[in-house]
Structure formats: structure tokens, C-alpha cells
Amino acid sequence: MKPISATRLVSTVIAMLLLGVATGVVWEALAKPAEWEVRADGSIVLTEIAARDQFGVIVVFVIAGIIVSLVWGIVTTLVLEDLGWKLTPLVVMVTLVAAVIAWRVGIALGPVGPREAVNPSVGDHLPSRLKVDGIAPFVAWPVFGVLGVLLTTWMRKGDDEYAGVHQGV
């Protein structure tokens, strides 16, 4: 087994962290946050129909994370195959950090929420802040990153050159 190149390792990690930033931007652009309605009595309410959009925000976050993590897991396995078993904890850690980065970027770029609305008028619809409430959406990122590692390893198992290198032939 040849030694791992620090440049390849660092470049691959930085690439995923930048993908985390990009995914946060995409999440903010694609997610449709729930909208609060300003009523005649001055109250701001979330209708039942609009409440469904809160779940949709999380779904977009998870789907974007699944796609990015799966692809990055595949590419990382190809680029850092000489890392061996250490690739799995690396993928888990980096995809988790990227998920947190995406979450924070999406929140920073997204709407400020109905509480910060200045002089809302009756009938106005005020978007909620983007939010992910729960740990499962974050766990999806490393699960699919590791799935990318597993799929790539499994598919390359039949590759004679790859198998020969890792069996000491």
C-alpha cells in the first residue's frame, strides 16, 4: 500500500466542505418555507396547509445532502483508495461537517422569519426561517457518503487491477 498524498487528502476534504456551502445555497433556493398569514386582528398564524411546507424544507435538505454525499463518497473512494478502512470514518466526519455547513449557510441566506417582519399588512404572507429540527436529516449525509464508499468498493472488486493491488498480487 502506497502512502496517502496529503495534497489529495486535503483537496478532497476541502472539496466536500465547499460542496456543503454550495448545498446550503441550493437548499435555500429550492426550499419553500412555510408562510405565516397576517390576520385582520393583527395576529400572525400558520395555516395547516402552510405547515406542510415546514416538512418540505427538511426533505429538500435531506435530498440535496444524499446526492452530494453519495457522489462525494464515490469520488473520494476512487481518489483516496489507498487510505483503506480509514476512508470510512473520514467520510462520516467530513459529510457531517458539510451537513452542518449547508444548514448554517441555508439559514443565513434564507428568510428571517415572521417575527422580524416590519409593519406587515393584513393578508401578507411572511416566510418562516429555514430549519432542520432533528438529527436524522444530518445523519442521512454520512449514511449516503458511506454508501458511496461501499458501492464503489463493491463495483471495483471485480476489477482485476484493483483486486490485484489490494490482495498483494
Side-chain angles (χ1 to χ4, degrees), residues 127-146:
S128 297
R129 291 182 62 93
L130 295 180
K131 71 176 185 177
V132 175
D133 50 358
I135 198 158
F138 293 97
V139 172
W141 289 56
V143 165
F144 279 85
V146 170

Side-chain angles (χ1 to χ4, degrees), residues 112-136:
V112 294
R115 291 185 184 192
E116 283 76 22
V118 180
N119 299 325
S121 301
V122 173
D124 282 353
H125 292 274
L126 310 171
S128 297
R129 291 182 62 93
L130 295 180
K131 71 176 185 177
V132 175
D133 50 358
I135 198 158

Side-chain angles (χ1 to χ4, degrees), residues 38-124:
V38 179
R39 297 270 169 100
D41 64 359
S43 64
I44 300 174
V45 297
L46 183 65
T47 64
E48 187 175 327
I49 293 171
R52 285 186 303 194
D53 293 335
Q54 289 179 320
F55 180 69
V57 167
I58 297 169
V59 170
V60 172
F61 179 81
V62 170
I63 290 172
I66 284 171
I67 293 167
V68 168
S69 296
L70 183 65
V71 170
W72 185 76
I74 291 168
V75 171
T76 300
T77 304
L78 296 172
V79 172
L80 300 175
E81 68 185 4
D82 46 340
L83 201 56
W85 67 268
K86 297 173 191 159
L87 186 60
T88 301
L90 174 74
V91 167
V92 169
M93 289 185 295
V94 174
T95 52
L96 274 174
V97 171
V100 171
I101 289 171
W103 171 60
R104 295 307 305 164
V105 167
I107 289 173
L109 296 176
V112 294
R115 291 185 184 192
E116 283 76 22
V118 180
N119 299 325
S121 301
V122 173
D124 282 353

